[in-house]
Amino acid sequence: MIQITPMNEQNYKAVAAIEAECFSQPWSEKTFFEELSNPNAHTYLALDGGEPAGFLSVWEVCGEVSVNNIAVLGEHRCKGIAKALLQKMLCELAEADSVTLEVRKSNAAAIALYESFGFERVGERRNFYEKPTEDAILMTKIMNGET
Ligand SMILES: CC(C)(COP(=O)(O)OP(=O)(O)OC[C@H]1O[C@@H](n2cnc3c(N)ncnc32)[C@H](O)[C@@H]1OP(=O)(O)O)[C@@H](O)C(=O)NCCC(=O)NCCS
């Protein structure tokens, strides 16, 4: 069973561990701890059968949501966990005007995920990523009070 829960003082290290496993330039444990006192931050942890399996981190400022990161551990992928994380966030922040994110140009899985939620490609950022260097696709979803 998949459960989505807010990140808190008990589970933020598990979120940082998923980040470290999935990204070449991860946010530190300390950064996730500091996010707990950031009023603009919303971070969700996904549990799969009680085990930490994925997370989603966004900031919401004046109705504009920006996605910092979403990741699911390899052994828990393709089970609808990223979809459940995005659904939870879009439901909780349904009053927002828009959601924006960057994604590596080669990241077909993530791009397909975002397109399935109605995100549209609105631009590119050249050499946005390091390790390895790669362009980013900029994607936006206009909310209109819907998920
Ligand atoms: C991208 C990622 C978060 C998807 O997580 P997931 O839990 O496996 O995704 P879900 O099972 O919820 O899949 C939801 C949708 O994403 C897309 N998708 C997911 N994995 C895919 C793959 N390997 N190939 C193509 N599309 C894929 C599909 O549209 C899928 O919908 P469908 O099952 O109805 O076809 C995961 O692969 C991951 O953590 N990757 C590494 C970190 C990363 O790249 N994060 C994104 C940073 S911008």
Side-chain angles (χ1 to χ4, degrees), residues 39-127:
N40 301 117
H42 302 260
T43 310
Y44 305 89
L45 172 66
L47 302 171
D48 183 4
E51 293 292 312
F55 77 95
L56 168 63
S57 156
V58 307
W59 289 331
E60 194 267 334
V61 180
C62 298
E64 293 190 7
V65 177
S66 53
V67 175
N68 298 314
N69 243 338
I70 181 167
V72 174
L73 290 172
E75 62 270 32
H76 296 279
R77 286 184 191 162
C78 299
K79 296 169 75 176
I81 293 176
K83 222 183 259 187
L85 283 161
L86 278 169
Q87 265 159 2
K88 176 77 171 175
M89 180 277 288
L90 291 170
C91 188
E92 281 199 3
L93 303 181
E95 299 299 312
D97 300 319
S98 64
V99 184
T100 297
L101 56 85
E102 288 97 8
V103 55
R104 282 182 183 270
K105 214 170 183 174
S106 65
N107 195 342
I111 292 169
L113 168 70
Y114 301 138
E115 286 181 337
S116 76
F117 274 85
F119 284 83
E120 294 183 355
R121 297 170 193 234
V122 293
E124 292 193 13
R125 298 196 198 283
R126 184 165 286 277
N127 297 332

Side-chain angles (χ1 to χ4, degrees), residues 13-45:
K13 289 185 181 177
V15 172
I18 298 167
E19 164 97 353
E21 179 80 22
C22 294
F23 297 104
S24 62
Q25 293 187 296
W27 279 7
S28 65
E29 244 179 36
K30 181 169 172 278
T31 299
F32 282 103
F33 180 72
E34 287 166 355
E35 286 289 276
L36 294 171
S37 53
N38 175 354
N40 301 117
H42 302 260
T43 310
Y44 305 89
L45 172 66

